[in-house]
Amino acid sequence: MALREILHFPDPRLRLRARPVDAVDDGVRALVDDMFETMYAAPGIGLAATQINVQKRILVADVSDDQSAPHCLINPEILSREGEEEMDEGCLSVPGFYERVQRAERVRVRALNRDGEAFEMEIDGLLAVCVQHEIDHLDGKLFVDYLSTLKRNRIRKKLEKQTARAPSERTSLAGSAVNL
Ligand code: K2U
Ligand code: ZN
């Protein structure tokens, strides 16, 4: 397993649309394992392959408190959406920023698991939010796209400044939340 670099907004590679996985082979399983390792180390509760510059339709998620509920969704499809919910979302690709986003409260999803077997599941709560957030990543969409142009541009400018700073100073700043 290996830790992968997570791309940061406004990196244009985050805007690429991921392609379906043709066959769930050992190479895909190794990629899934790297995604889980990278997600847990970030730390985060979800990660899309797009965020590590791999344009394959794969996401991982684990909203448990103790890394006990890993989910791997390959070629995920949302079959149905119900209700509405709102929460402050963050993103490993937009470090230090949290903004309110509205999404479906409950979704039914179909995907392939790490063994290439098809499954469906009905999800709600934080896992439903996370899976919708990750599927957006696979379509080249970020949570900042739900914000006003003004707010999105202010986030972009702040992150561009951090990227331009020395790596050591950038790391210490990344953990500080900024309210716009
Ligand atoms: O895609 C990512 O960057 C992973 C997100 C997933 C996520 C975003 C918003 C809402 C739910 C999940 C990161 O895990 S952001 C960190 C985080 C951690 C706990 C709760 C919310 C966000
Ligand atoms: Zn994200």
Side-chain angles (χ1 to χ4, degrees):
M1 293 209 286
L3 286 176
R4 304 287 192 104
E5 181 193 354
I6 296 175
L7 301 179
H8 286 171
F9 176 68
D11 191 314
R13 292 170 293 182
L14 287 168
R15 297 309 189 172
L16 297 174
R17 183 176 173 74
R19 292 181 300 279
V21 171
D22 296 327
V24 181
D25 55 20
D26 288 346
V28 167
R29 278 184 279 274
L31 169 62
V32 167
D33 294 345
D34 285 357
M35 289 177 66
F36 273 116
E37 184 181 5
T38 302
M39 176 186 76
Y40 288 133
I45 58 174
L47 188 72
T50 307
Q51 292 178 274
I52 58 169
N53 194 26
V54 173
Q55 283 75 41
K56 293 180 187 289
R57 299 190 75 78
I58 302 170
L59 71 90
V60 296
D62 185 340
V63 300
S64 70
D65 296 333
D66 55 1
Q67 301 184 2
S68 62
H71 294 277
C72 166
L73 282 74
I74 299 170
N75 299 341
E77 298 169 71
I78 294 180
L79 302 177
S80 64
R81 292 177 174 81
E82 281 178 69
E84 281 181 9
E85 65 72 40
E86 267 196 12
M87 74 170 280
D88 287 337
E89 294 194 12
C91 180
L92 297 174
S93 294
V94 189
F97 295 90
Y98 298 86
E99 291 291 340
R100 208 118 186 103
V101 176
Q102 188 177 85
R103 297 192 189 268
E105 182 182 21
R106 203 173 9 271
V107 292
R108 184 165 187 81
V109 292
R110 174 169 56 207
L112 301 178
N113 64 20
R114 193 178 173 281
D115 297 320
E117 297 155 343
F119 69 95
E120 291 187 14
M121 64 179 185
E122 193 94 21
I123 49 179
D124 61 7
L126 186 54
L127 183 59
V129 175
C130 181
V131 166
Q132 292 175 82
H133 177 107
E134 303 311 333
I135 291 177
D136 269 357
H137 273 300
L138 299 179
D139 294 333
K141 189 163 186 172
L142 299 168
F143 85 92
V144 296
D145 297 335
Y146 296 96
L147 309 180
S148 67
T149 304
L150 178 67
K151 271 197 174 180
R152 183 167 52 255
N153 285 339
R154 285 168 69 181
I155 292 172
R156 179 174 49 76
K157 289 191 176 87
K158 287 178 189 282
L159 285 176
E160 283 172 339
K161 271 187 196 162
Q162 281 181 29
T163 304
R165 285 195 180 106
S168 56
E169 191 181 353
R170 189 191 320 159
T171 308
S172 61
L173 282 173
S176 54
V178 177
N179 291 316
L180 292 168

